[in-house]
Amino acid sequence: MPESTRAPEIRTTAGSVRGRMVDGLAVFRGIPFAQPPVGPLHLAPPAPALPWDGVREAVSFGPTPPQSLALGFGSGPETTSDSDEWLTVNVWSPDPGATTRLPVMVWIYGGAYLVGSAEGPTYDGAALAHRGTVVVTFNHRVGAEGYGHFEGAVPNRALLDQVAALEWVRDNIAAFGGDPGRVTVFGESAGAGAIAALLAMPRATGLFHRAVAQSVPGSVFTPALAADVGASVAAELGLPATLEALAPVAPKALRDAADAVLGGITRHGARWGRIAHAHLPFSPVVDGEVLPRSPWAALRAGQGSEVELMVGHNRDEARLFTVMSGRSGRITREEADTALERFAPGSGGAAAYRAAHPDADPTTMQDLVMSDWLFRMPSLRMAEAHTAGGGTSYLYELAWAAPAFGGALGACHGLDVPLVFGNLLGGIATLALGEEPPSEAWAVSDAMGRAWTAFAAHGEPGWARYRTGERLTRVFTTEPVTVPYPQEVSRRIWAEFDFAPLELGAGAGPTAAA
């Protein structure tokens, strides 16, 4: 995008920043919202950014927090910067001097709670800003830095980073032309899981007014499970799992220890159950203080009911992992049966899947149960819980199939992100859509972008709210339609399951709700 010579300047609570005009937008990158969480602040809650004198250039993204290098496909970029100033925000504004303040959209990235950065073509906020919103993205800690559970350390530091970024938005976004009374958080995968947690967190109350949760994961941990994972990370360093012992450890060394645990995580199947088999060593922890209870339980009880919610999933979530691992069409019947026993709900869940899908091949069967356990059913249940607690919810499904790999990806995990952002060139978009995205991709992207920004502006995305009896759902295809929830078979199989905090030593499979 072309940059003009006129450089906009904004006064924030910590000091003045100078951005750039890019294609008619004022763009600011790398503004600190908290101090670097290193040295005396390592493994501590975020501390307010220190003020600076003069005008700070805000033209480059801040360095990425330490990223897992063992995740495989989707591993995060390793920053080449020596700076530890990981906690920064970026802003795209159509008009910083607007007298009528614009709705604000704050993005929370995903990445299995192990990787993530606001940098890159996929999360560029320009297209959404051109639709009349102020877009904010930011970096937060991930992996052991953000979610590692260690004695003496405040838990859920990643969630507290997100709270700090939202506090920065509350205190500063008006100067960028945004309305601090119309803040929408939106995020995908682990970012959607973080939004579910934020809705349940008293510390986040009032910091956002609408939320869009895209492909919500269902994993939250009990302190016992999280502490056992933390002890394994510390053991890789030959240290006790305490703040006193781990705070002096270099962040990248802590990351490497967590990666060593991830590399051998299936050894812990008997103790860690499903998270070992799903390769998910970190998640939000229901610690009783920062996160008092499971998001689904909190929503059912009315927590966050004042926040309007849009939530949904993609039809073929797990296909991304099957295709990218080279396993599509190669899953054996034994492997599919093992997945059913581990991840289907209750004692009869595996049989229910077999009865409902008698002609499904092993790959299809495994993809079904993994899509449901990982994202589809937690997302549906979030709409149900929020509605039950008195909130307003809207449900959607992305059913348009990506053309890459001969269509094998389907409507896979992550496909919604470039479509919502309107960034169909580069990054994950090129992987799924090819070098020249088809016209259908642009049409679906336009429909989703319009819905997301309409919801941010006035709380109505363009279809009927979710109600338990009707279960109306917006299905995004080349011609979006509103229909009863399309995954009714899976909904019935999971109807009695409770997405409660995962326990230490819980064994291989979910249990039905009491």
Side-chain angles (χ1 to χ4, degrees):
M1 291 291 190
E3 297 195 11
S4 76
T5 56
R6 183 167 61 91
E9 292 187 11
I10 298 291
R11 176 74 185 179
T12 74
T13 52
S16 295
V17 293
R18 180 184 296 120
R20 293 290 184 272
M21 292 301 298
V22 184
D23 194 24
L25 298 172
V27 181
F28 301 80
R29 302 183 179 98
I31 305 172
F33 68 85
Q35 295 178 47
V38 296
L41 296 178
H42 190 211
L43 301 179
L50 296 175
W52 58 83
D53 296 324
V55 180
R56 179 186 175 111
E57 294 293 330
V59 297
S60 300
F61 289 104
T64 59
Q67 306 278 299
S68 171
L69 303 178
L71 186 60
F73 171 72
S75 287
E78 182 76 347
T79 182
T80 57
S81 171
D82 292 330
S83 171
D84 297 314
E85 203 163 54
W86 310 326
L87 303 182
T88 59
V89 300
N90 319 290
V91 183
W92 288 258
S93 175
D95 187 1
T99 54
T100 302
R101 292 174 178 171
L102 298 172
V104 181
M105 299 182 70
V106 182
W107 173 252
I108 303 178
Y109 52 67
Y113 304 109
L114 285 163
V115 300
S117 166
E119 189 171 355
T122 303
Y123 302 154
D124 186 285
L128 287 175
H130 278 302
R131 292 183 180 274
T133 66
V134 175
V135 178
V136 179
T137 66
F138 64 92
N139 284 349
H140 64 270
R141 286 172 282 184
V142 292
E145 290 290 330
Y147 290 101
H149 199 70
F150 309 118
E151 182 182 345
V154 172
N156 293 308
R157 295 172 297 280
L159 300 178
L160 295 177
D161 288 350
Q162 295 160 28
V163 169
L166 289 167
E167 289 173 339
W168 184 94
V169 169
R170 177 196 62 197
D171 297 339
N172 292 282
I173 206 63
F176 294 83
D179 184 350
R182 276 195 299 171
V183 174
T184 298
V185 291
F186 69 125
E188 182 263 353
S189 195
I195 287 171
L198 290 170
L199 282 164
M201 289 171 56
R203 297 191 193 192
T205 300
L207 293 176
F208 56 96
H209 312 91
R210 297 178 182 124
V212 184
Q214 305 169 210
S215 301
V216 184
S219 60
V220 292
F221 293 179
T222 59
L225 175 58
D228 207 62
V229 175
S232 295
V233 173
E236 293 289 338
L237 297 163
L239 296 170
T242 66
L243 176 62
E244 182 181 15
L246 294 174
V249 173
K252 288 184 179 179
L254 185 63
R255 182 273 316 280
D256 292 343
D259 273 358
V261 171
L262 178 61
I265 194 169
T266 54
R267 298 196 309 263
H268 301 278
R271 290 179 63 77
W272 299 352
R274 300 177 295 285
I275 71 163
H277 302 299
H279 294 78
L280 294 173
F282 299 108
S283 280
V285 182
V286 181
D287 64 287
E289 182 179 349
V290 176
L291 182 57
R293 63 169 91 177
S294 151
W296 294 267
L299 291 175
R300 285 195 298 269
Q303 176 72 24
S305 61
E306 74 284 357
V307 176
E308 294 164 312
L309 173 67
M310 184 164 74
V311 59
H313 57 70
N314 301 347
R315 185 188 61 199
D316 310 307
E317 295 277 5
R319 282 203 202 173
L320 175 71
F321 315 118
T322 306
V323 172
M324 296 313 298
S325 65
R327 298 286 292 154
S328 183
R330 299 171 60 190
I331 303 298
T332 67
R333 178 62 63 184
E334 181 181 12
E335 289 171 324
D337 286 345
T338 298
L340 285 172
E341 295 301 329
R342 286 174 175 164
F343 295 102
S347 58
Y353 270 96
R354 294 187 188 102
H357 306 280
D359 299 323
D361 61 80
T363 297
T364 299
M365 187 67 82
Q366 179 168 297
D367 282 350
L368 276 169
V369 70
M370 294 308 298
S371 293
D372 283 342
W373 182 75
L374 283 167
F375 304 112
R376 298 201 311 182
M377 294 304 103
S379 300
L380 169 65
R381 298 299 286 277
M382 190 170 169
E384 292 177 343
H386 189 59
T387 300
T392 297
S393 301
Y394 297 88
L395 187 64
Y396 76 88
E397 178 182 76
L398 173 61
W400 182 78
F405 299 93
L409 286 172
C412 67
H413 188 64
L415 179 61
D416 52 311
V417 178
L419 295 174
V420 166
F421 271 90
N423 298 328
L424 306 192
L425 303 173
I428 191 175
T430 297
L431 172 74
L433 306 176
E435 296 289 343
E436 296 185 9
S439 59
E440 292 87 351
W442 293 104
V444 175
S445 175
D446 180 65
M448 296 184 82
R450 282 188 285 109
W452 265 239
T453 51
F455 181 71
H458 50 75
E460 295 183 1
W463 63 93
R465 68 171 62 182
Y466 181 86
R467 291 184 174 89
T468 302
E470 301 165 301
R471 302 189 180 92
L472 292 178
T473 306
R474 189 68 161 178
V475 177
F476 286 96
T477 59
T478 50
E479 294 185 7
V481 294
T482 302
V483 297
Y485 182 61
Q487 307 304 331
E488 179 65 11
V489 170
S490 292
R491 187 195 70 80
R492 289 181 179 274
I493 292 173
W494 289 80
E496 300 303 319
F497 181 76
D498 182 16
F499 284 96
L502 297 169
E503 300 276 358
L504 177 64
T511 57

